[in-house]
Amino acid sequence: MKRGKFITLEGGEGVGKSTNLNFLRHILESAGYTVVMTREPGGTDLAEKIRRLLLDKDSEAVTPMAELLMMFAGRAQHIHHVIEPALADGKWVLCDRFTDATFAYQGGGRGMDKTKIGWLEETVQGGLHPHLTLLLDAPVEIGMDRMIRRGDLDRFEREQTEFFERVRQSYLQCAKQAPQRFKVVDATLSLQQVQAQIRAAISEII
C-alpha cells in the first residue's frame, strides 16, 4: 500500500489554525484521501495527559528542560501509536503543530539550545518529517488581540509579548531553513484569501 503523507499546520497564538485545519481536512477528503486529524502536544491518551500538564496555568513552575522533555515524551507516544500507523496504512495525517513548534516555543520563546532540540528530534523521530508545513503568520499584536478576546488563557497564552515575538521569529527562521517544505501563509488577510493560499499550497502535493 502506498504510504500516506504527513501535513502540519503551524503558527503562533490567534492565527486561525483550528478553522483552517478543518478547511484542509475538507480539501483532502474531497480529493478522496482518508485523513487522520490530530494535534500536539496530544494525540494519544497519555500525550493528552501531558498536554493538560503543560497547559495548566495553576501548576507548579515548569522548568524549560522539563517542558522540552515532556513535549518529546508526548511526541514519542504520538508517533508510535498514531502517526506512523496511519501513514503506513496509506492515510494522510493532518497535525496541529509538530516539532517546528518545539523549535519556536522552547527554542525561540524559552531560549533553549536548538542543538539539543535537534538531537531529541533525531532520537525520537528518526527520518520522520512532514511532507508539507503550512505556517500561518501574523504580527504578534494581531494574534494576541484575538487570543485575549477568546478568554480563559492557558499557561503558554499568559506569556509576555516578547516571548511571542521570539516564537514568531523562530518560526520564520524555520521556514527560511526549509523552503522546500514550508509554505508561509499571510494570516492577516480575509479568511477567503487565507484559504486561497492554503488551497494553492496543498494542490502542489495532491
Side-chain angles (χ1 to χ4, degrees), residues 15-117:
V15 294
K17 287 189 294 84
S18 298
T19 299
N20 288 299
L21 274 166
N22 286 313
F23 175 69
L24 264 172
R25 181 177 190 169
H26 173 72
I27 292 174
L28 294 173
E29 289 181 340
S30 295
Y33 298 104
T34 301
V35 178
V36 173
M37 195 157 70
T38 187
R39 68 178 181 177
E40 287 216 345
T44 73
D45 288 345
L46 178 57
E48 289 291 335
K49 291 176 182 177
I50 292 173
R51 179 188 181 90
R52 290 194 289 274
L53 290 172
L54 285 165
L55 300 186
D56 184 2
K57 60 182 181 294
D58 299 317
S59 69
E60 67 181 80
V62 181
T63 68
M65 181 56 74
E67 184 178 277
L68 176 64
L69 294 174
M70 290 167 75
M71 288 287 184
F72 273 103
R75 184 163 296 136
Q77 289 291 108
H78 193 201
I79 291 170
H80 181 79
H81 290 291
V82 177
I83 297 174
E84 276 292 354
L87 293 174
D89 199 32
K91 298 172 184 175
W92 285 42
V93 177
L94 181 55
C95 192
D96 181 350
R97 295 199 174 118
F98 194 59
T99 308
D100 295 304
T102 306
F103 280 102
Y105 279 80
Q106 283 70 52
R110 302 286 187 222
M112 297 202 69
D113 184 348
K114 292 186 180 180
T115 303
K116 292 180 180 177
I117 298 174

Side-chain angles (χ1 to χ4, degrees), residues 157-170:
E157 292 170 340
R158 290 168 180 255
E159 290 290 345
Q160 300 299 309
T161 301
E162 293 77 12
F163 174 87
F164 293 115
E165 289 286 2
R166 294 193 299 271
V167 168
R168 185 189 182 202
Q169 292 308 313
S170 187

Side-chain angles (χ1 to χ4, degrees), residues 115-172:
T115 303
K116 292 180 180 177
I117 298 174
W119 181 85
L120 285 166
E121 177 185 33
E122 176 64 26
T123 301
V124 171
Q125 295 171 219
L128 176 67
H129 297 281
H131 294 88
L132 172 67
T133 297
L134 296 168
L135 172 59
L136 297 179
D137 178 61
V140 168
E141 60 270 20
I142 292 177
M144 289 189 73
D145 180 63
R146 293 172 179 171
M147 178 180 71
I148 290 168
R149 281 191 277 114
R150 287 201 309 259
D152 193 24
L153 305 182
D154 63 37
R155 189 174 69 86
F156 283 96
E157 292 170 340
R158 290 168 180 255
E159 290 290 345
Q160 300 299 309
T161 301
E162 293 77 12
F163 174 87
F164 293 115
E165 289 286 2
R166 294 193 299 271
V167 168
R168 185 189 182 202
Q169 292 308 313
S170 187
Y171 263 134
L172 292 172

